[in-house]
Amino acid sequence: MATLSLLLLPPSPSSSSCYSTSLRRLALSLPPPLRPRRACAAAAPRILAQSVPSALTQDDLKKLAAEKAVEYVSSGMVLGLGTGSTAAFVVAEIGALLASGKLSDIVGVPTSKRTFEQAQSLGIPLSTLDDHPHINLAIDGADEVDPNINLVKGRGGALLREKMVEAASDKFIVVVDETKLVTGLGGSGLAMPVEVVQFCWKYNLRRLQELFKEEGCEAKLRLDGDGKPYITDNSNYIVDLYFKTPIKDALGAGKEISAFEGVVEHGLFLDMASTVIIAGKDGVSVKSRLISVEAA
């Protein structure tokens, strides 16, 4: 049987109320409430660790993280359904729970065409932000997670729809395996995507590379399997940025990228995730920003 251990930081005077409330709820083994919250501390996040068997594959770890995330789902919710290999495990688990009757009255808002197709095949009722502009909970993967649970997302090509859906959610849970953890965004050396309009994309590619020349950035147009420009669900191109060193100021970088005419969206998801579930060889851990709980 898996063992559970709980590590909680001592409360500061400014956060004692939210600390004691969180402790009572955790002691009762209740999932965090999924209503809007306000931040009450900027200290290190709460951590819950659960052991797992050894010799698991990366897909096994993703599945464990996905199963833990779905514990936060309740009947009657409007859910943001993420895109990517880890998010696919989440969608599959939700479909199975609906089929078994353990969940009911779920409405999913998919973040890509392929998530739409997977969810539809599993019988998950689907809608859009137009019809459900208020989402209770979004669950998605991430390409990078820094110590402050800021993210790089979009290597799957769905960053624009992901950001729209997740920004509309009361709570955004991220599921990853431990290989996605970095000390600073861009630190993996893999792509940080920027979605751009097709018109004069080379012009924006050059501007993006120049913007990050101090980080040794290389900008490349993303290509599909046939060697043609990759086209997003919104008929745009993606310029992938490859950094030799982590981005020094992610918040400032995001603002500067967004200021370029012709840039649609970037893959820096900053101050958006409320909880990150991480599966690794030492177990499954849950990191959350410290939050206050509304009175029942």
Side-chain angles (χ1 to χ4, degrees), residues 23 28 61 101 104 145 155 158 162 164 186 188 194 204 219 223 225 238 241 251 257 267 269:
L23 181 58
L28 292 171
L61 294 176
S104 61
V145 181
R155 289 183 192 144
E162 287 174 336
M164 290 176 69
S188 69
V194 180
N204 271 323
L223 304 178
I238 287 181
L241 304 182
L251 182 61
I257 293 170
F269 284 54

Side-chain angles (χ1 to χ4, degrees), residues 78-83 107-113 115 127-130 132-140 153 158-173 234 265 269 272:
V78 179
L79 298 174
L81 304 177
T83 296
V107 175
V109 178
T111 55
S112 66
K113 291 178 181 177
T115 298
S127 188
T128 65
L129 275 177
D130 286 337
H132 288 85
H134 175 240
I135 296 174
N136 302 114
L137 170 66
I139 306 177
D140 205 349
K153 288 178 51 56
L159 62 155
L160 174 58
R161 296 190 186 188
E162 287 174 336
K163 189 170 282 190
M164 290 176 69
V165 169
E166 287 146 15
S169 302
D170 289 342
K171 187 177 181 69
F172 173 28
I173 294 179
N234 304 288
E265 191 52 83
F269 284 54
M272 292 184 67

Side-chain angles (χ1 to χ4, degrees), residues 41-252:
R46 181 184 62 204
I47 301 175
L48 175 67
Q50 178 179 342
S51 64
V52 300
S54 59
L56 296 177
T57 67
Q58 190 174 18
D59 276 352
D60 291 333
L61 294 176
K62 291 177 181 180
K63 190 172 188 297
L64 281 171
E67 289 172 348
K68 183 66 178 176
V70 174
E71 293 178 11
Y72 291 76
V73 177
S74 300
S75 294
M77 282 186 170
V78 179
L79 298 174
L81 304 177
T83 296
S85 58
T86 308
F89 285 115
V90 173
V91 176
E93 182 69 11
I94 292 169
L97 291 172
L98 280 170
S100 68
K102 294 179 180 179
L103 281 178
S104 61
D105 301 320
I106 292 295
V107 175
V109 178
T111 55
S112 66
K113 291 178 181 177
R114 60 183 177 275
T115 298
F116 174 90
E117 291 168 356
Q118 181 195 10
Q120 188 178 54
S121 72
L122 295 170
I124 300 174
L126 299 175
S127 188
T128 65
L129 275 177
D130 286 337
D131 293 329
H132 288 85
H134 175 240
I135 296 174
N136 302 114
L137 170 66
I139 306 177
D140 205 349
D143 302 310
E144 292 182 1
V145 181
D146 77 4
N148 296 315
I149 62 177
N150 290 314
L151 319 170
V152 167
K153 288 178 51 56
R155 289 183 192 144
L159 62 155
L160 174 58
R161 296 190 186 188
E162 287 174 336
K163 189 170 282 190
M164 290 176 69
V165 169
E166 287 146 15
S169 302
D170 289 342
K171 187 177 181 69
F172 173 28
I173 294 179
V174 177
V175 286
V176 295
D177 65 87
E178 63 184 355
T179 65
K180 304 301 175 65
L181 303 181
V182 295
T183 57
L185 299 182
S188 69
L190 301 175
M192 197 288 281
V194 180
E195 188 164 341
V196 301
V197 298
Q198 295 188 31
F199 176 74
C200 293
W201 63 266
K202 288 183 182 179
Y203 168 70
N204 271 323
L205 183 149
R206 294 189 189 103
R207 291 204 293 173
L208 289 165
Q209 183 159 302
E210 179 65 19
L211 179 62
F212 297 108
K213 62 182 179 181
E214 291 185 7
E215 285 88 352
C217 175
E218 183 178 8
K220 296 182 179 179
L221 180 69
R222 184 178 297 188
L223 304 178
D224 63 19
D226 297 324
K228 298 178 180 179
Y230 177 90
I231 298 177
T232 70
D233 286 347
N234 304 288
S235 300
N236 297 311
Y237 286 170
I238 287 181
V239 173
D240 285 322
L241 304 182
Y242 297 87
F243 295 89
K244 292 183 180 178
T245 60
I247 300 170
K248 296 176 182 177
D249 177 6
L251 182 61

